[in-house]
């Protein structure tokens, strides 16, 4: 009866199998009329011989099943349906089409067992990717560590994080983000050996446990394979999306023998991988832990630095050819244990922790107060970080501070970088225009080092462009730097903007810049940043200016 297509069951095979287990077989014709009862099911209560499938299984959606069976071809997998029999039992049906017959295998399960199994599965698995979850991971890691204790095996633990997951979620929407996570999960699985295990802990955070005698080299090879697998784009809603992965690796017993140590080591390694750039894997190194612990210490003390008055400002002169025109305020942090911390070490941290606006407000007020004692034609330039700029209410805060201190807006210059203009463009332009209307000057800091879209210069009339030190450092010998600096000066002048060269350290640089028409200079050649106490002396006896 029926053709035996490779891999698919014949009736004989189904009969043989159902006769040795608790599953039962019924055979219907293509009109769903019972034609055979090979398992000798007692049908008297439910259906008499020659009656239909629908009497045996009342309550099923007849239209749907008929439709599905019509489209099931002979070598397709069976249609599977779970059907409640009574309060305590569930019946799973597997419905095969074999030649002109319909074979139905019934297997009855205890409803409570099934529900318990489903609940356990839900509690230990992630619904989106169907991978085991954090809970299962914790249990498996503990068990695996116990296992390697009594063997020579080595365990590699890997933490994967998708590069640029957030932008995909933000720009293409959450459902695209969900699809990306599902695709990422299957791409990870595609790289694993059968005994490696992958888990989704949260968001775009995946973990892999891989163990055996070939580690740690096997772990390294697996990490490389994963990184390569993520170099291919994902196609989501017909859009090719490039999302790499960064991987941290820790190894047991070498980097830790309990789950906490091993996870911490893995996390530290992941941080290092991300610092190396996108699409990198990094193995744990104890030196990394010391760096991270110091960072943690900094982060904790940063929260109290403001109230404990550990911040102060230094001022670096801004010079024209024959006179000083003002100072740039540069924030300093004197840490009670670690000494002076440079702004690049703590500003990104303050931005990430959401406290940069508060610090920035303090800088602005302090700088305006201290500048009150300078000559009336001196300006003060204050840096505004991207996070401060993007926090709503900046213009109100600035004008409130100016009112409070009684500082004239035309003596204030706010320095922003191009990163500010990358996000929420309409609002940002609004903020810039409002500041401009208040009479505050805006300068574009570190020009040329970031995204340098000339479009910004068209959409917003900056007062000043500051050419980054990167182009000044080799200016005298490097023809490319010369070409770029000359071009920026001309461009700025054509757009009615002033140009400041940052990081001017030598007389030759200053002369070259003056010949090229640069308006202002800033750098160690004129002066290093000065403590507030030194400003009075500096103003009363200014140094001979390089181009004076
Ligand atoms: P920036 O605004 O571009 O400031 C110029 C940086 O170059 C300062 O570094 C200054 O000390 C340094 N510099 C000036 N002349 C020379 C020179 O001739 N040679 C060399 N090698 N360096 C020179 P600093 O003070 O370490 O500040 C670094 C960055 O931190 C600043 O770059 C600015 O982006 C940020 N920053 C400083 N203070 C604040 C602040 O109050 N708020 C915000 N948001 N950022 C700030
Ligand atoms: Mg600046
Ligand atoms: Mg700068």
């Amino acid at each position: 009866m029926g053709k035996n297509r490779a891999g698919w069951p014949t009736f004989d095979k189904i009969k043989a199998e159902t006769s040795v287990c608790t599953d039962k077989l019924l055979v219907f014709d293509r009109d769903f009329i019972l034609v055979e009862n090979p398992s000798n099911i007692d049908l008297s209560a439910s259906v008499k011989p020659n009656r239909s499938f629908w009497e045996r299984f009342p309550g099923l959606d007849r239209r749907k099943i008929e439709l599905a069976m019509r489209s099931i071809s002979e070598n397709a997998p069976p249609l599977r349906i779970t059907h409640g029999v009574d309060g305590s039992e569930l019946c799973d049906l597997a419905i095969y089409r074999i030649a002109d017959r319909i074979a139905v295998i019934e297997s009855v399960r205890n409803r409570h067992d099934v529900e318990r199994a489903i609940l356990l599965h839900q509690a230990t698995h992630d619904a989106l990717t169907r991978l085991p979850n954090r809970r299962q991971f914790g249990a498996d890691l503990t068990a695996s560590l116990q296992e390697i204790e009594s063997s020579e095996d080595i365990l590699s633990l890997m933490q994967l994080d998708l590069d640029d997951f957030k932008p995909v979620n933000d720009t293409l929407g959450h459902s695209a983000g969900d699809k990306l996570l599902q695709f990422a999960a299957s791409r990870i699985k595609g790289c694993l050996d059968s005994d490696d295990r992958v888990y989704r802990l949260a968001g775009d955070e995946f973990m892999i446990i891989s163990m055996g005698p070939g580690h740690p080299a096997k772990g390294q090879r697996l990490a490389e394979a994963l990184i390569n697998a993520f170099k291919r784009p994902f196609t989501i809603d017909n859009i090719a999306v490039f999302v790499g992965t960064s991987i941290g690796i820790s190894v047991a017993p070498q980097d830790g023998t309990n789950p906490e140590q091993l996870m911490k080591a893995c996390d530290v390694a992941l941080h290092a991988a991300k610092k190396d750039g996108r699409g990198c894997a990094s193995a744990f190194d104890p030196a990394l832990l010391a760096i991270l612990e110091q960072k943690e210490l900094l982060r904790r003390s940063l929260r109290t630095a403001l109230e404990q008055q550990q911040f102060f400002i230094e001022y670096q002169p801004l010079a024209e050819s024959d006179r000083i025109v003002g100072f740039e305020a540069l924030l300093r942090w004197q840490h009670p244990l670690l000494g002076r911390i440079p702004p690049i070490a703590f500003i990104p941290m303050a931005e990430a922790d959401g406290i940069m606006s508060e610090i920035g407000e303090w800088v602005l007020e302090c700088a305006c107060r201290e500048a009150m004692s300078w000559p009336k034609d001196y300006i003060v330039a204050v840096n505004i970080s991207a996070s401060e700029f993007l926090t709503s209410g900046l213009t109100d805060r600035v004008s409130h501070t100016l009112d409070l201190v009684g500082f004239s807006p035309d003596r204030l210059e706010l320095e922003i970088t191009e990163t500010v203009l990358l996000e929420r463009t309409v609002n940002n332009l609004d903020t810039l225009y409002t500041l401009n209307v208040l009479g505050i000057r805006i300068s574009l800091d570190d020009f040329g080092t970031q995204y340098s879209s000339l479009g910004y210069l068209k959409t917003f009339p900056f007062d000043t462009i500051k050419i980054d030190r990167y182009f000044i450092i080799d200016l005298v010998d490097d023809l490319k730097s010369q070409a770029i600096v000359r071009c920026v000066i001309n461009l700025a002048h054509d757009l009615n903007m002033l140009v400041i060269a940052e990081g001017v350290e030598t007389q030759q640089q200053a002369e070259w810049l003056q010949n090229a028409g640069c308006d202002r200079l800033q750098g160690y050649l004129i002066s290093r940043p000065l403590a507030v106490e030194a400003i009075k002396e500096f103003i009363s006896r200014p140094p001979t200016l390089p181009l004076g």
Side-chain angles (χ1 to χ4, degrees), residues 302-366:
L302 188 56
R303 297 214 180 91
T304 51
L306 198 55
E307 67 196 48
Q308 297 188 355
Q309 301 177 349
Q310 291 165 5
F311 290 125
F312 62 98
I313 299 177
E314 285 191 333
Y315 295 93
Q316 190 176 34
L318 304 165
E320 283 187 359
S321 60
D322 55 350
R323 67 186 187 108
I324 298 297
V325 292
F327 297 89
E328 175 174 2
L330 294 163
L331 179 59
R332 303 292 178 242
W333 179 18
Q334 186 68 33
H335 189 283
L337 294 176
L338 303 170
R340 203 188 252 219
I341 316 290
I344 46 156
F346 70 86
I347 288 179
M349 215 179 255
E351 291 197 294
D353 289 0
I355 50 176
M356 194 56 214
S357 278
E358 215 184 314
I359 298 174
E361 259 178 74
W362 176 85
V363 173
L364 182 67
E365 185 177 336
C366 180

Side-chain angles (χ1 to χ4, degrees), residues 316 328 331-332 347 383 385 445-446 469 502-503 505 524:
Q316 190 176 34
E328 175 174 2
L331 179 59
R332 303 292 178 242
I347 288 179
N383 293 285
S385 61
D445 203 356
D446 303 343
R469 196 176 141 250
E502 297 189 84
E505 293 188 358
Y524 295 169

Side-chain angles (χ1 to χ4, degrees), residues 116-132:
R116 212 174 306 127
I118 291 173
L119 283 178
L120 182 68
H121 190 270
Q122 279 173 348
T124 54
H125 285 74
D126 159 46
L128 182 68
T129 57
R130 296 173 191 272
L131 292 181

Side-chain angles (χ1 to χ4, degrees), residues 199-309:
Y199 307 79
R200 178 176 174 232
L201 299 205
D204 61 334
E205 188 189 340
F206 296 89
M207 255 6 229
I208 294 171
I209 300 175
S210 177
M211 54 201 268
H215 285 272
K218 189 185 162 210
Q220 292 284 356
R221 283 196 301 276
L222 173 56
E224 276 166 34
L226 287 161
I227 290 197
N228 284 332
F230 275 78
K231 285 184 177 157
R232 280 181 286 122
F234 292 91
T235 307
I236 296 172
D237 302 336
N238 291 324
I239 299 173
V241 176
F242 286 86
V243 173
T245 180
S246 301
I247 306 176
I249 312 169
S250 61
V251 173
Q254 160 188 328
D255 302 331
T257 47
N258 67 45
E260 291 73 32
Q261 286 169 340
L262 209 57
M263 296 250 319
K264 169 118 199 204
C266 204
D267 196 46
V268 169
L270 179 62
H271 265 83
K274 286 185 158 180
K275 249 183 108 185
D276 288 345
R278 290 140 198 272
C280 287
S282 181
F284 173 72
D285 173 351
L288 295 171
L289 192 60
I291 296 172
L292 212 79
E293 277 167 358
Q294 200 180 48
K295 261 189 152 177
E296 227 8 79
L297 169 69
L298 267 195
R299 167 162 278 138
R300 262 181 277 124
S301 38
L302 188 56
R303 297 214 180 91
T304 51
L306 198 55
E307 67 196 48
Q308 297 188 355
Q309 301 177 349

Side-chain angles (χ1 to χ4, degrees), residues 431-450:
T431 308
L432 287 174
Y433 278 113
T434 313
L435 291 168
N436 206 240
V437 167
L438 289 172
I440 294 161
R441 299 158 61 82
I442 309 288
S443 81
L444 191 53
D445 203 356
D446 303 343
F447 186 73
T449 53
Q450 290 162 2

